[in-house]
């Protein structure tokens, strides 16, 4: 029989618990004096069996769909992440998990539909994950959505101005709506695709001012995303430890 590791011995003698319970048990056990809730956001199986997921306490017993909808309602950040999946890299899951931790607007998987989910630790369930067969398809989708956002912002500006002139909106309400609409238009006009890559002429990501609306594109581990970036306007960034980020023009609205 092996002697116990001295660190294990000291840890047990420290007074710290050997096991910290994660989550909550069945509703009936945890809330003895309370009726079973009928909130549609709650998941019946989790109420019966308990919720041991790694989620915020306010989401205990909630279904995946309800949590995802609440994150959308609270507002996700406007940046998006695209990852190439041609070689089934092991780090794709960790990138999806990190994007979820920062409440990215979307995550795009480029290439084969099946990807290595192990590192994601189930966080992909709460994230909008979109699949694309190629980089071109991913970037075209981005261009189309940015163009739509610009169109909608311009329409809101026109509607507010018309409503103000017709007396439908008060001057204060019209001014407020114009501020919001022009802000959204400015964000869409300055949207960029940013390739996180090692390339000559790039600038450090630590000092680069990222636009609020951007698509961060990560290539495969073995070949990055350099082969296709010359066909559409991008910026290239990376950390000072490895590479840099090259300035370029904003994403242009398709004709």
């Amino acid at each position: 029989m092996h002697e116990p590791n001295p660190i294990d011995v000291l840890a047990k003698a420290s007074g710290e618990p050997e096991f910290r319970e994660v989550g909550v048990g069945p509703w009936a056990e945890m809330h003895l004096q309370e009726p079973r809730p009928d909130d549609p956001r709650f998941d019946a199986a989790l109420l019966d069996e308990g919720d041991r997921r790694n989620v915020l306490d306010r989401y205990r017993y909630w279904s995946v769909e309800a949590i995802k909808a609440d994150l959308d309602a609270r507002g996700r950040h406007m940046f998006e992440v695209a990852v190439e999946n041609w070689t089934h890299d092991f780090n794709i899951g960790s990138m999806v998990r990190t994007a979820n931790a920062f409440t990215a607007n979307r995550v795009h998987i480029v290439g084969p539909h099946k990807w290595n989910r192990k590192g994601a630790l189930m966080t992909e369930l709460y994230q909008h994950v979109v699949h694309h067969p190629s980089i071109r398809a991913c970037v075209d989708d981005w261009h189309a959505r940015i163009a739509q956002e610009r169109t909608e912002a311009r329409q809101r500006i026109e509607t507010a101005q018309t409503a103000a002139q017709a007396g439908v909106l008060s001057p204060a309400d019209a001014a407020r709506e114009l501020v919001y609409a022009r802000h959204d238009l400015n964000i869409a006009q300055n949207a960029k695709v940013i390739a996180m890559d090692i390339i000559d002429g790039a600038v450090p990501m630590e000092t680069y001012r990222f636009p609020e609306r951007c698509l961060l594109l990560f290539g495969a581990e073995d070949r990055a995303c350099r082969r296709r970036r010359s066909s559409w306007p991008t910026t290239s960034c990376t950390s000072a430890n490895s590479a840099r980020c090259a300035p370029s023009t904003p994403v242009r609205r398709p004709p």
Side-chain angles (χ1 to χ4, degrees), residues 139 192-195 217 228-230 232-236 246-251:
V139 174
K192 287 186 178 181
V193 176
I194 301 175
L217 174 59
R228 286 164 297 280
R229 64 179 296 273
S230 61
W232 25 266
T234 65
T235 294
S236 294
S248 81
T249 57
V251 176

Side-chain angles (χ1 to χ4, degrees), residues 10-249:
L10 292 173
K12 291 181 179 180
S14 68
E16 291 288 331
E18 294 182 41
F19 173 76
R20 288 183 174 87
E21 187 176 27
V22 176
V24 292
W27 179 273
E29 296 179 7
M30 304 297 296
H31 303 81
L32 298 177
Q33 305 300 321
E34 300 179 30
R36 182 184 176 94
D38 57 2
D39 190 322
R41 295 173 298 183
F42 287 2
D43 183 281
L46 294 174
L47 289 171
D48 291 338
E49 302 169 9
D51 187 356
R52 304 298 181 183
R53 300 172 301 174
N54 185 22
V55 298
L56 296 175
D57 286 342
R58 68 168 175 261
Y59 292 137
R60 291 298 173 200
Y61 302 115
W62 284 32
S63 68
V64 169
E65 294 77 13
I67 295 175
K68 193 172 180 179
D70 189 69
L71 291 172
D72 289 342
R74 289 174 178 270
R76 298 177 185 268
H77 291 295
M78 300 186 73
F79 76 92
E80 303 182 14
V81 175
V83 188
E84 290 190 270
N85 184 41
W86 305 111
T87 53
H88 298 284
D89 296 333
F90 290 110
N91 66 347
I92 291 180
S94 63
M95 295 181 70
V96 172
R97 186 176 76 249
T98 303
N100 179 73
F102 286 94
T103 56
N105 190 276
R106 296 186 186 191
V107 172
H108 305 266
I109 305 296
V110 180
H113 189 271
K114 185 177 181 180
W115 55 282
N116 194 315
R117 299 170 184 260
K118 186 175 182 180
L121 301 179
M122 305 300 287
T123 56
E124 74 275 12
L125 298 177
Y126 311 104
Q127 183 64 54
H128 295 286
V129 179
V130 185
H131 292 265
H132 304 277
S134 66
I135 288 292
R136 169 54 64 189
C138 179
V139 174
D140 285 349
D141 170 74
W142 164 267
H143 282 204
R145 288 186 293 111
I146 293 299
Q148 181 63 30
E149 290 174 16
R150 289 173 178 158
T151 298
E152 291 174 353
R154 291 191 180 101
Q155 289 174 344
R156 287 166 54 200
I157 292 173
E158 182 178 349
T159 299
Q161 291 173 336
T162 302
Q165 293 171 359
V168 177
L169 281 180
S170 69
D173 289 340
R176 185 182 304 107
E177 174 58 24
L178 285 171
V179 167
Y180 292 148
R182 286 167 177 159
H183 175 264
D184 292 344
L185 178 60
N186 182 64
I187 288 176
Q189 288 177 329
N190 289 285
K192 287 186 178 181
V193 176
I194 301 175
M196 310 302 291
D197 203 351
I198 301 175
I199 186 172
D200 293 337
V203 297
M205 62 180 288
E206 291 84 353
T207 56
Y208 178 70
R209 190 175 182 83
F210 285 83
E212 188 171 356
R213 193 80 171 95
C214 60
L215 174 65
L216 305 178
L217 174 59
F218 294 84
E221 288 185 8
D222 62 338
R223 60 178 182 171
C225 50
R226 283 171 278 180
R227 296 183 182 179
R228 286 164 297 280
R229 64 179 296 273
S230 61
S231 62
W232 25 266
T234 65
T235 294
S236 294
C237 289
T238 187
S239 69
N241 292 330
S242 53
R244 317 240 161 193
C245 180
S248 81
T249 57

